[in-house]
Amino acid sequence: MNIKDHIREVPDFPKPGILFYDISTLLMHPAAWRHTVEQLAEAMAPHKPDLLAGIESRGFLVSAPLALKLGCGFIMLRKKGKLPGATVKHSYDLEYGTDTIEIQEGAVQPGQKVVLVDDLLATGGTMAAAAHLIRKVGGVVPAAACIIELTFLNGRSKLDMPVTTLAQYDV
Ligand SMILES: O=P(O)(O)OC[C@H]1O[C@H](OP(=O)(O)OP(=O)(O)O)[C@H](O)[C@@H]1O
Ligand SMILES: Nc1ncnc2[nH]cnc12
């Protein structure tokens, strides 16, 4: 089973010159989707996570079934203003401007092992911000997992944990 066969490449989305890697077609194919979740579960199980942290929003699609498969808890890292109750925030730089992600206070107990999960690693800014936020609330980040990696953007250079990706693209 080749996961890349089920990822659709959409030119000039969301703006001219960007090649968008669309996982909608992967989600539509139950056998390929099951294979994807199983591959990530196999790679993450040795890290023995207490929790998976999914990154809004496409990251939730991957992290929720993966947490069920691994039998661990699942928490949400959300864009600002979406989570009820007290939250902890972290702002980070984008190519232009800044963004903020949040976690609910008490979602992570100090020392818990939290594996980060997203659909795609591009510049690594989002994943680096997620790691910063988990550590800020006392969690340990043993690993991260994504389906897709845009290797030409070298997102790994921003990250200090092992990252598993299943489909790499160099354009
Ligand atoms: O490595 P980076 O350069 O930080 O980019 C990767 C992030 O960009 C995409 O999210 P997007 O902001 O498009 O949000 P979405 O998941 O809600 O579509 C993707 O799902 C990752 O979270
Ligand atoms: N090229 C791309 N395709 C899909 N999602 C992305 N997120 C950041 N860059 C992306």
Side-chain angles (χ1 to χ4, degrees), residues 10-91:
V10 185
D12 300 319
F13 182 85
K15 55 186 181 187
I18 300 288
L19 184 58
F20 189 86
Y21 294 90
D22 185 14
I23 61 165
S24 307
T25 39
L26 182 60
L27 292 163
M28 276 187 250
H29 194 292
W33 182 233
R34 183 179 302 107
H35 178 71
T36 302
V37 174
E38 284 172 354
Q39 292 286 297
L40 290 177
E42 197 176 302
M44 292 303 110
H47 297 290
K48 301 191 185 327
D50 298 303
L51 299 169
L52 295 191
I55 302 174
E56 185 173 358
S57 57
R58 280 176 276 154
F60 293 164
L61 302 170
V62 191
S63 49
L66 188 54
L68 275 180
K69 179 93 189 158
L70 289 168
C72 63
F74 168 62
I75 59 173
M76 292 183 281
L77 303 182
R78 296 212 65 178
K79 288 165 184 168
K80 67 169 177 265
K82 302 278 189 179
L83 286 170
T87 62
V88 180
K89 301 176 179 48
H90 176 58
S91 295

Side-chain angles (χ1 to χ4, degrees), residues 14 20 55-60 79 92-94 99 117-128 146 150 153 155 158:
F20 189 86
I55 302 174
E56 185 173 358
S57 57
R58 280 176 276 154
F60 293 164
K79 288 165 184 168
Y92 58 102
D93 290 329
L94 297 170
D99 211 343
V117 182
D118 207 345
D119 66 322
L120 182 145
L121 181 69
T123 66
T126 305
M127 192 63 88
C146 289
L150 309 187
L153 294 174
K158 290 200 180 71

